[in-house]
Amino acid sequence: MTINERAGRGFIARWRRWSPIPCAALVAAAAFVVSGIVRGTYPFGDVSRNTNDLGQQFIPMHAHLRDILTGQASGDLVFNWSSGFGVPFVGDFMAYVGTSLSWLVLLFPREHIDLALFVIATVAIALGAAAMTAYLRYLRPSGPVCLAAVAGVSYALCGWAIDDAAYMTQWLNGMVAFPVICLLCEWILRRRSLAAMVVTPFVVALLWVSHFYTVYMATIGAAIVVAARLLSSDGSVLWRYRAFGGLRCTIAVAIGVGLSAPLLVPTFRAVGAARPSPKTEFRSIDWLDFLSRLLAGSEGVGTTPGLAVGTLMMLLALSLPFNHGVAAQERIIWTTTVVLTLLSMQVRVTHEVWHGFDSPNGSPFRQAFVVAGMLVIAGWISLASGVRNVATLAAPLLLLAVLYVLTYDARTITTTTRVVVPTVSAIVVLAWLLAHRRPSLSPGVRVGAAAMLIGVVLVEVTASAVAIDQARAKFLSAKPAWSQRHDEARALVQSAVGWPWQRVSPGSTATVNDPMLIGGQGPQYYSSTIPDALSNELIGLGFGYSSYGRATIDPQNPVVDAVFAVGARVVVDGGASSTGDFRLAKRPVGPLVTVRPGKAFTSADSGPFGLQETALGANVYAVPKLKAVAGPGVSVSDRRKKELLIVPPPGAAAPAEVRLTTSCRAGAEIWLAAPAFVGDVQVDGQWRSVLDSKAKRPGVYSGAPMLRVGTAGVDGAVDVRLRVNGRARLPASAIGCLELDRLSSAIDQLKRNRPTDIDVGGHSIVVRFAAAAPATVVFGVVSTPGWHCTAGNGPGQAPDTVAGLIAVRVDGKATRVTCDYRPPGAQAGLIVGAAAVIILCGVAGALALSPRRRRRSP
């Protein structure tokens, strides 16, 4: 044999061994794309795929990331000046855009940001398939080459990936991380390698930065897999070697987590300071609903776990306990591992562990991808050992048939499930018979059987993806993709640039994160890492909210605009209609930063109107006493003189009406502050909803913004009409009379107190002003943990506050105030990261100097 022949055969052997990896990636991506084509979702049709948080959070934040990377953003990777009147960005970076795949947004024009997110999701699914295939081939290289790719595709397109993670793009990083960490640990277990111990920490660090939340779950899952591998190893491998292998893997992963600490620690601090949601007590679900999600095509986003890995891999996983081709010890340990992990999802204590001891309010089974991965691994172990006898095939068919019958009418089962499960099962049996029970058949027939099996699996995963998306779309709404209306709104924002002296708000023309999606510097903000201080401040000022205060709703109040220097806003003619024409509404406001007298004004009113006055620095509201005039049969009671309780007559067919009467100065604007009021108010002769009757837990989950409801007549009379369909609550001081002449005088005073210069950096702001008497420099920025300010050449310290705004006291000599934002925990994170580097260098040095680096593999 010549050298060229040997090289050729070597290349063919290597290609045969590793070709399933790129094949799995391409096939998984293709199946995901084809499912979109069949459904007609963007970018292949008019159906939007921007379901829930994809449209509300991930797309706007990726648009903002693109602006940061291209130098077009107000802010940097540390601080975001666009949203919430200025918010930290490190937590959002880690929670929403931290993955290296997010940088793909640079390859797309900004108006194609939706396409960028589709590509990112597709690439993540391809990487998940490739990673799982690589791990399976490394774990059992003797298994069928083509079916290794099929197994990887089944994992990457599991029920969780399509139902839960496809519209929570960042979650897909956990799905990628699980097989990658398993593969890295397998590398470490098999040999005492310097390369393995050095490469693993950096890869783990990259994964943890990508999405620490789901990668934390992936790390737990990988630890379980490694433990099963060590316990099920051949008896010829000494326990000492197994223990040392497990310890090396633990050290490498721990160092990797430590390397991510410079971003991880500040993120944990940001999460700790974020708006909390009410404590959720986990409750297990019905076992039939739970187990029904093992069937292909089943759907139950947010309430049940997406465990399905396709009918073929499910049958193979079920065959493992009965496959005598696998050693008894390995069968017992792997079966027990998968079953216990499955059970852990329904037990409160282990459920808390999976979620970092913070049970989520929605989608309680976010770790389902780990169980899906374990099912694929178990199925591959059985397949690689050979499914040779009828019992090994019949037992899983019987178990699957029982599950199919018991869950046939379950709420999670789709028509696709009812069709594909028996169809694929029948084809699996046929393929097995052709391949194993007819040895006289030609190789071509066997290849055809394998091709038939692979083809039907790919059809099944594609059909399942279509069915899941169709079922989910019936109750989860989707935001529209970027269109001409987005262009129009963005053009208006860019035409009125006044930053940093004034803000330009894009309004809520598309999402609750429009300042990041459209541009500008508005109050709208929706994030799980929103600082609690910011949320409380905005709610206190009369902002509405949803998601327990994690999403803000702009009241479009002139006093708030004056406080935060919102000089222009994109609004829609026709009110809340999404089809009206956009226009730019401008208001006279003061500058972003004002220099006020040394003793700040404090309003006598303790409610939202008073907080606005304190923030503004002037008395502009009158808060009169109210008289409630109830309609027939309606009772209104004054509860402790703080709240009005409205109770309509029982069984009333029509809404009950109540009038609130009082008096104000003639021409005053009338504002209603009733965050927990479920009902309607009449505005300019039209009924407008304050909070819809379908609002979630008013006053807790959701709250109404302050609303302008009219103008006082020439005689000062105020008559506000309300209507309710059930019991409703109103604050006793729900009405505020905004006196516009006083507001104009206050704004003029703010303009006179403007500094000479305002310079806003990525996460800092420098203000220069003429020296005068002692004063208070007040910023139109809510004070959140992390701000440090310096007056003149004085020492840096946390700023004071005026009604929650950043405020710095200065003497008559200082002419400059500098404030910069430093993420809490950044210093501690750098220390931990440096320690991880030192430990890694020590481990690498010890291994490099060790004369014996190879050990027998477990």
Side-chain angles (χ1 to χ4, degrees), residues 250-595:
T250 301
I251 291 173
V253 172
I255 292 174
V257 176
L259 291 175
S260 67
L263 286 173
L264 204 59
V265 175
T267 300
F268 287 163
R269 291 288 298 274
V271 171
R275 179 73 173 179
S277 56
K279 183 68 176 177
T280 299
E281 185 174 311
F282 172 75
R283 293 182 180 179
S284 60
I285 64 173
D286 179 79
W287 274 106
L288 280 183
D289 285 340
F290 185 92
L291 295 176
S292 69
R293 295 305 310 277
L294 290 167
L295 299 178
S298 58
E299 195 282 328
V301 63
T303 58
T304 56
L307 302 170
V309 290
T311 303
L312 172 63
M313 293 312 300
M314 190 66 229
L315 287 170
L316 290 171
L318 290 173
S319 74
L320 178 62
F322 311 98
N323 191 342
H324 292 280
V326 182
Q329 179 181 348
E330 191 170 19
R331 275 186 288 141
I332 293 170
I333 289 174
W334 272 105
T335 302
T336 303
T337 298
V338 175
V339 170
L340 290 179
T341 306
L342 195 69
L343 289 173
S344 73
M345 301 176 71
Q346 288 269 66
V347 178
R348 182 181 304 173
V349 174
T350 47
H351 165 85
E352 295 285 348
V353 173
W354 277 113
H355 293 87
F357 301 96
D358 185 14
S359 185
N361 290 102
S363 299
F365 302 104
R366 302 181 184 191
Q367 74 278 39
F369 70 95
V370 173
V371 177
M374 290 183 177
L375 289 171
V376 170
I377 294 170
W380 176 252
I381 291 173
S382 181
L383 177 64
S385 300
V387 181
R388 297 183 177 88
N389 56 63
V390 175
T392 308
L393 180 66
L397 283 171
L398 178 61
L399 290 174
L400 189 65
V402 171
L403 179 61
Y404 178 82
V405 171
L406 291 176
T407 61
Y408 189 84
D409 291 323
R411 59 189 175 94
T412 61
I413 299 301
T414 66
T415 302
T416 299
T417 304
R418 299 187 181 101
V419 173
V420 298
V421 171
T423 302
V424 176
S425 298
I427 294 175
V428 167
V429 173
L430 177 61
W432 183 84
L433 289 172
L434 290 175
H436 295 278
R437 307 304 291 177
R438 296 289 185 271
S440 60
L441 291 176
S442 67
V445 174
R446 294 190 179 189
V447 171
M452 176 181 63
L453 186 60
I454 294 170
V456 75
V457 169
L458 297 182
V459 170
E460 180 188 52
V461 296
T462 304
S464 296
V466 172
I468 288 171
D469 191 50
Q470 286 177 329
R472 186 181 57 206
K474 293 179 181 178
F475 60 92
L476 290 185
S477 60
K479 292 293 180 181
W482 191 280
S483 65
Q484 183 179 349
R485 289 185 61 78
H486 294 78
D487 287 328
E488 293 171 358
R490 183 166 171 79
L492 285 174
V493 169
Q494 292 179 325
S495 71
V497 172
W499 182 255
W501 289 92
Q502 292 184 359
R503 292 181 166 101
V504 180
S505 171
S508 294
T509 57
T511 72
V512 289
N513 270 317
D514 271 4
M516 286 187 274
L517 179 65
I518 304 297
Q521 305 83 29
Q524 294 86 357
Y525 184 48
Y526 172 33
S527 170
S528 60
T529 64
I530 182 173
D532 191 36
L534 173 68
S535 183
N536 281 327
E537 173 69 9
L538 296 183
I539 292 173
L541 287 167
F543 277 70
Y545 61 92
S546 60
S547 300
Y548 302 105
R550 292 176 176 175
T552 59
I553 302 172
D554 185 5
Q556 300 188 22
N557 176 276
V559 180
V560 172
D561 287 351
V563 169
F564 292 101
V566 181
R569 175 185 287 104
V570 176
V571 297
V572 183
D573 284 336
S577 171
S578 61
T579 59
D581 294 330
F582 291 134
R583 63 181 176 86
L584 197 65
K586 296 184 178 181
R587 275 181 174 155
V589 295
L592 179 68
V593 183
T594 55
V595 183

Side-chain angles (χ1 to χ4, degrees), residues 615-650:
L616 181 68
N619 190 349
V620 296
Y621 281 104
V623 184
K625 291 185 178 180
L626 302 178
K627 180 181 179 181
V629 181
V634 181
S635 67
V636 180
S637 60
D638 185 346
R639 303 176 66 188
R640 303 177 184 176
K641 297 183 179 181
K642 293 184 178 180
E643 187 177 66
L644 299 177
L645 178 64
I646 304 173
V647 181

Side-chain angles (χ1 to χ4, degrees), residues 54-284:
L54 177 59
Q56 294 276 30
Q57 292 182 303
F58 288 95
I59 286 177
M61 290 190 184
H62 277 80
H64 183 67
L65 175 67
R66 188 187 185 281
D67 288 344
I68 292 174
L69 299 177
T70 56
Q72 302 176 36
S74 302
D76 54 20
L77 293 175
V78 174
F79 199 80
N80 170 15
W81 287 108
S82 294
S83 304
F85 297 133
V87 293
F89 191 66
V90 174
D92 287 339
F93 176 80
M94 289 285 282
Y96 299 100
V97 296
T99 173
S100 53
L101 294 179
S102 295
W103 296 69
L104 290 174
V105 296
L106 290 173
L107 302 178
F108 298 85
R110 198 181 191 283
E111 61 270 21
H112 290 156
I113 192 67
D114 306 87
L115 179 60
L117 267 291
F118 174 77
V119 171
I120 288 171
T122 305
V123 173
I125 286 172
L127 289 176
M132 178 55 79
T133 304
Y135 175 66
L136 297 179
R137 291 291 293 157
Y138 196 56
L139 183 67
R140 288 287 195 281
S142 60
V145 175
C146 292
L147 291 183
V150 170
V153 171
S154 298
Y155 168 71
L157 293 173
C158 66
W160 179 89
I162 299 300
D163 203 11
D164 296 270
Y167 73 94
M168 300 287 289
T169 313
Q170 205 79 344
W171 287 16
L172 291 169
N173 292 284
M175 185 196 69
V176 176
F178 173 62
V180 169
I181 298 175
C182 289
L183 181 60
L184 291 170
C185 287
E186 188 70 22
W187 185 17
I188 292 173
L189 292 176
R190 293 198 179 197
R191 56 176 56 221
R192 191 176 174 185
S193 166
L194 172 62
M197 290 299 294
V198 172
V199 170
T200 296
F202 287 104
V203 176
V204 170
L206 179 64
L207 293 171
W208 271 74
V209 170
S210 294
H211 192 232
F212 67 95
Y213 184 60
T214 53
V215 176
Y216 159 78
M217 299 176 189
T219 305
I220 293 177
I224 296 172
V225 170
V226 169
R229 280 281 295 118
L230 294 173
L231 292 173
S232 62
S233 296
D234 192 301
S236 62
V237 180
L238 297 178
W239 279 103
R240 177 163 59 92
Y241 291 144
R242 302 188 203 185
F244 284 156
L247 180 61
R248 290 197 306 274
C249 180
T250 301
I251 291 173
V253 172
I255 292 174
V257 176
L259 291 175
S260 67
L263 286 173
L264 204 59
V265 175
T267 300
F268 287 163
R269 291 288 298 274
V271 171
R275 179 73 173 179
S277 56
K279 183 68 176 177
T280 299
E281 185 174 311
F282 172 75
R283 293 182 180 179
S284 60

